[in-house]
Amino acid sequence: MSDFKCAVNEQNKATELPLLRLGGSVQQNPHMRAFWASTISFFLAFLAWFALAPLALDVAISLKICENQQFPPAQFKTQLAYLKFKSLKTGIAYCQYGENDAKKPTECKPVPADILAKPICNSTVTAGCVSEKEKLQYRPDVLNACVCTPGTDCKQVLSNAGTISVIGTIVVRIAMGTLLERFGCVNCQTGLLLWGSFFIGLAATITTPWSFILIRFLVGVVGATFVTNQVWCSLMFASNVVGTANACAGGWGNLGGGVTQILMVLVLFQPFKAAGMAPNEAWRVAMLVPAVLLFLCAVAIKLLCWDTPTAGRFDVAVTGKTQKPSMWDYVEVLKDPKVVLIAMQYSACFGTELAMNNVLATHFRTYFQMKAGDAAALASSFGLMNLFARSLGGILSDKLYLRFGFRGRIWAQFLALFFEAIFLFGFGCVDNSQPWYVALIVLVCFSMFVQMAEGTTYGIVPFMNPKQLPIISALVGAGGNLGAMIAGFAFYGAIDDAILPFKVHGCYVMFFALLSPMLYWPEYGGMFHGPAAGAALSETAPAKELEQETKKAAKEDEGVEVDL
């Protein structure tokens, strides 16, 4: 009889996911310790990774890169960013009587002669008069505290910093495949958290645009904790629940991207200002909180967790792999075009999430002209959907497999990506003439399918080449960051429009959704075909294990006992 707290199969992998079963030593309950350690560490890594995003405009003010700091309106009246500006709150434009050219303005229209001819209202003149401001050609008083709209240097710096933050993660995520095989999950996750702790703490010293971009690049390395998150769960949980386990661990980890929008602004920055700190000091002190949390989590993982159900240190033999880890493994894995396609599909969902975490708060503050707290609350709704949506994707993938076989997992992937693309395009159709809640409704629907697609992706990954599980997990994870880089540079950074990039991004997602029929394995089948006649499952494939478990589940559903 097993001494494990969880029910296990012959490989000692858990066949259940009892979320609240937390008791027991590491020898008795390695599965749930690994699950919660991978989830919490990834959550905190995400929190630190995007801690600067909701405070980007406040950082910009400290760095003096806002358009109205570099080009004071009193001296530079005809800056394009000013000429196009209109206050959504008051309805008054900087050019209150219009621009000389609606598409490419170079000057505000002069004050109409009839307005100039009228007297200024005062205590004695109250009829047929105008206010002093109505006689002004320019209205600099309506400009935001930090003008950082598309086309400005400020916008470019923030966009580049957000995109750069995911580039460092690409390299590290790819390397994580070999690193995990050599050093194991516990050591890799501990090292990444300590790295992130140091550099997010160092963010308090940012003084120039280049140091801001560099810190975001270095902090972005913690995004590689996702690879450990998925590999660790795949080593601990059996095939009947691995999709759900991976989706829950990944989704609840991604939740940090939503929580950080609220934590950094509403819980830390604004209360620090209310306590008397200057804004320039408040955001810097706020950076120390995620630094401390990452450090404490790293120590706890090192002291309390194991890599596998029966050993503190991972050995590649567990996956059926006989040769030592090698960089050549990446070449072998990439020979399979399905790996490349899955990585690019992940770029279309997880890459989209990373891009949204970088741009949403600033989008709501600049385009919808919201206050920092309100913008953070709306932006957080995107990440907070991870509370259930990614898990829902994993559960959907597992359930459709039970009903339709492996093709069910591919259909789940296609449908999630398809509706993600529809709602992302729809979000790009919501302009600032519409109420903010319209954008919120579309954003929530869009977010749900983004997270579901992430869950369905990692419902497929453990089956692709089990002997190379760490390598494939690393490559697919890196694909997510590649997608964020593409979106940052090609869409949100290159297009000088507030909402068009969302529409173009939606088309990008749809393209890869429509390639789902190309996912076909002779032993599993594809979207429209079952397994090839005579195709045999490899002895190491998770499908071999899953085949037995799903047969048993099907029989039990019918009330019939089965002897396997």
Side-chain angles (χ1 to χ4, degrees), residues 87-100:
S87 171
L88 297 181
K89 184 177 181 179
T90 63
I92 300 173
Y94 176 82
C95 293
Q96 63 176 332
Y97 298 108
E99 312 100 274
N100 61 350

PDB file of all heavy atoms in Angstrom, residues 87-100:
ATOM      1  N   SER A  87      -9.708  66.000 -24.243  1.00  0.00           N
ATOM      2  CA  SER A  87     -10.069  65.490 -22.921  1.00  0.00           C
ATOM      3  C   SER A  87     -11.405  64.765 -22.997  1.00  0.00           C
ATOM      4  O   SER A  87     -12.417  65.348 -23.418  1.00  0.00           O
ATOM      5  CB  SER A  87     -10.158  66.633 -21.917  1.00  0.00           C
ATOM      6  OG  SER A  87     -10.701  66.176 -20.687  1.00  0.00           O
ATOM      7  N   LEU A  88     -11.405  63.493 -22.617  1.00  0.00           N
ATOM      8  CA  LEU A  88     -12.650  62.734 -22.630  1.00  0.00           C
ATOM      9  C   LEU A  88     -13.574  63.161 -21.495  1.00  0.00           C
ATOM     10  O   LEU A  88     -14.795  63.038 -21.589  1.00  0.00           O
ATOM     11  CB  LEU A  88     -12.341  61.238 -22.511  1.00  0.00           C
ATOM     12  CG  LEU A  88     -11.521  60.619 -23.650  1.00  0.00           C
ATOM     13  CD1 LEU A  88     -11.322  59.136 -23.400  1.00  0.00           C
ATOM     14  CD2 LEU A  88     -12.216  60.832 -24.993  1.00  0.00           C
ATOM     15  N   LYS A  89     -12.984  63.664 -20.420  1.00  0.00           N
ATOM     16  CA  LYS A  89     -13.780  64.060 -19.259  1.00  0.00           C
ATOM     17  C   LYS A  89     -14.581  65.324 -19.531  1.00  0.00           C
ATOM     18  O   LYS A  89     -15.769  65.418 -19.203  1.00  0.00           O
ATOM     19  CB  LYS A  89     -12.864  64.263 -18.053  1.00  0.00           C
ATOM     20  CG  LYS A  89     -13.606  64.573 -16.768  1.00  0.00           C
ATOM     21  CD  LYS A  89     -12.636  64.688 -15.592  1.00  0.00           C
ATOM     22  CE  LYS A  89     -13.373  64.980 -14.296  1.00  0.00           C
ATOM     23  NZ  LYS A  89     -12.454  65.076 -13.132  1.00  0.00           N
ATOM     24  N   THR A  90     -13.950  66.313 -20.148  1.00  0.00           N
ATOM     25  CA  THR A  90     -14.624  67.598 -20.394  1.00  0.00           C
ATOM     26  C   THR A  90     -15.113  67.746 -21.828  1.00  0.00           C
ATOM     27  O   THR A  90     -15.962  68.588 -22.121  1.00  0.00           O
ATOM     28  CB  THR A  90     -13.671  68.766 -20.094  1.00  0.00           C
ATOM     29  OG1 THR A  90     -12.555  68.713 -21.001  1.00  0.00           O
ATOM     30  CG2 THR A  90     -13.151  68.690 -18.664  1.00  0.00           C
ATOM     31  N   GLY A  91     -14.566  66.930 -22.724  1.00  0.00           N
ATOM     32  CA  GLY A  91     -14.922  67.055 -24.136  1.00  0.00           C
ATOM     33  C   GLY A  91     -14.204  68.183 -24.840  1.00  0.00           C
ATOM     34  O   GLY A  91     -14.473  68.475 -26.005  1.00  0.00           O
ATOM     35  N   ILE A  92     -13.264  68.859 -24.148  1.00  0.00           N
ATOM     36  CA  ILE A  92     -12.543  69.993 -24.726  1.00  0.00           C
ATOM     37  C   ILE A  92     -11.231  69.506 -25.344  1.00  0.00           C
ATOM     38  O   ILE A  92     -10.490  68.741 -24.713  1.00  0.00           O
ATOM     39  CB  ILE A  92     -12.244  71.060 -23.651  1.00  0.00           C
ATOM     40  CG1 ILE A  92     -13.547  71.574 -23.050  1.00  0.00           C
ATOM     41  CG2 ILE A  92     -11.431  72.213 -24.237  1.00  0.00           C
ATOM     42  CD1 ILE A  92     -13.345  72.513 -21.873  1.00  0.00           C
ATOM     43  N   ALA A  93     -10.953  69.933 -26.551  1.00  0.00           N
ATOM     44  CA  ALA A  93      -9.725  69.554 -27.242  1.00  0.00           C
ATOM     45  C   ALA A  93      -8.660  70.619 -27.027  1.00  0.00           C
ATOM     46  O   ALA A  93      -8.973  71.781 -26.744  1.00  0.00           O
ATOM     47  CB  ALA A  93      -9.985  69.364 -28.723  1.00  0.00           C
ATOM     48  N   TYR A  94      -7.387  70.219 -27.169  1.00  0.00           N
ATOM     49  CA  TYR A  94      -6.290  71.182 -27.105  1.00  0.00           C
ATOM     50  C   TYR A  94      -6.504  72.257 -28.165  1.00  0.00           C
ATOM     51  O   TYR A  94      -6.334  73.444 -27.907  1.00  0.00           O
ATOM     52  CB  TYR A  94      -4.962  70.448 -27.319  1.00  0.00           C
ATOM     53  CG  TYR A  94      -3.761  71.346 -27.381  1.00  0.00           C
ATOM     54  CD1 TYR A  94      -3.155  71.816 -26.217  1.00  0.00           C
ATOM     55  CD2 TYR A  94      -3.205  71.715 -28.607  1.00  0.00           C
ATOM     56  CE1 TYR A  94      -2.043  72.638 -26.269  1.00  0.00           C
ATOM     57  CE2 TYR A  94      -2.087  72.535 -28.673  1.00  0.00           C
ATOM     58  CZ  TYR A  94      -1.515  72.991 -27.501  1.00  0.00           C
ATOM     59  OH  TYR A  94      -0.407  73.808 -27.555  1.00  0.00           O
ATOM     60  N   CYS A  95      -6.850  71.807 -29.355  1.00  0.00           N
ATOM     61  CA  CYS A  95      -7.279  72.741 -30.401  1.00  0.00           C
ATOM     62  C   CYS A  95      -8.796  72.869 -30.268  1.00  0.00           C
ATOM     63  O   CYS A  95      -9.554  72.127 -30.910  1.00  0.00           O
ATOM     64  CB  CYS A  95      -6.909  72.226 -31.785  1.00  0.00           C
ATOM     65  SG  CYS A  95      -5.147  72.152 -32.123  1.00  0.00           S
ATOM     66  N   GLN A  96      -9.254  73.794 -29.427  1.00  0.00           N
ATOM     67  CA  GLN A  96     -10.682  73.790 -29.082  1.00  0.00           C
ATOM     68  C   GLN A  96     -11.581  74.181 -30.246  1.00  0.00           C
ATOM     69  O   GLN A  96     -12.783  73.904 -30.221  1.00  0.00           O
ATOM     70  CB  GLN A  96     -10.945  74.666 -27.867  1.00  0.00           C
ATOM     71  CG  GLN A  96     -10.642  76.139 -28.002  1.00  0.00           C
ATOM     72  CD  GLN A  96     -11.051  76.904 -26.747  1.00  0.00           C
ATOM     73  OE1 GLN A  96     -11.964  76.499 -26.027  1.00  0.00           O
ATOM     74  NE2 GLN A  96     -10.369  78.000 -26.463  1.00  0.00           N
ATOM     75  N   TYR A  97     -11.002  74.761 -31.283  1.00  0.00           N
ATOM     76  CA  TYR A  97     -11.803  75.090 -32.466  1.00  0.00           C
ATOM     77  C   TYR A  97     -11.407  74.240 -33.674  1.00  0.00           C
ATOM     78  O   TYR A  97     -11.723  74.577 -34.815  1.00  0.00           O
ATOM     79  CB  TYR A  97     -11.698  76.588 -32.774  1.00  0.00           C
ATOM     80  CG  TYR A  97     -12.237  77.428 -31.636  1.00  0.00           C
ATOM     81  CD1 TYR A  97     -11.370  78.161 -30.820  1.00  0.00           C
ATOM     82  CD2 TYR A  97     -13.593  77.445 -31.357  1.00  0.00           C
ATOM     83  CE1 TYR A  97     -11.865  78.907 -29.759  1.00  0.00           C
ATOM     84  CE2 TYR A  97     -14.093  78.195 -30.292  1.00  0.00           C
ATOM     85  CZ  TYR A  97     -13.218  78.909 -29.489  1.00  0.00           C
ATOM     86  OH  TYR A  97     -13.722  79.620 -28.429  1.00  0.00           O
ATOM     87  N   GLY A  98     -10.715  73.159 -33.397  1.00  0.00           N
ATOM     88  CA  GLY A  98     -10.353  72.218 -34.450  1.00  0.00           C
ATOM     89  C   GLY A  98      -8.947  72.410 -34.984  1.00  0.00           C
ATOM     90  O   GLY A  98      -8.296  73.430 -34.723  1.00  0.00           O
ATOM     91  N   GLU A  99      -8.467  71.401 -35.729  1.00  0.00           N
ATOM     92  CA  GLU A  99      -7.136  71.466 -36.335  1.00  0.00           C
ATOM     93  C   GLU A  99      -7.257  71.884 -37.792  1.00  0.00           C
ATOM     94  O   GLU A  99      -8.330  71.784 -38.390  1.00  0.00           O
ATOM     95  CB  GLU A  99      -6.445  70.093 -36.278  1.00  0.00           C
ATOM     96  CG  GLU A  99      -6.495  69.401 -34.931  1.00  0.00           C
ATOM     97  CD  GLU A  99      -7.568  68.335 -34.863  1.00  0.00           C
ATOM     98  OE1 GLU A  99      -8.720  68.679 -34.562  1.00  0.00           O
ATOM     99  OE2 GLU A  99      -7.258  67.157 -35.127  1.00  0.00           O
ATOM    100  N   ASN A 100      -6.143  72.308 -38.363  1.00  0.00           N
ATOM    101  CA  ASN A 100      -6.168  72.747 -39.765  1.00  0.00           C
ATOM    102  C   ASN A 100      -6.265  71.572 -40.731  1.00  0.00           C
ATOM    103  O   ASN A 100      -6.615  71.731 -41.892  1.00  0.00           O
ATOM    104  CB  ASN A 100      -4.944  73.610 -40.097  1.00  0.00           C
ATOM    105  CG  ASN A 100      -3.637  72.848 -39.918  1.00  0.00           C
ATOM    106  OD1 ASN A 100      -3.608  71.741 -39.375  1.00  0.00           O
ATOM    107  ND2 ASN A 100      -2.543  73.448 -40.375  1.00  0.00           N
TER     108      ASN A 100
END
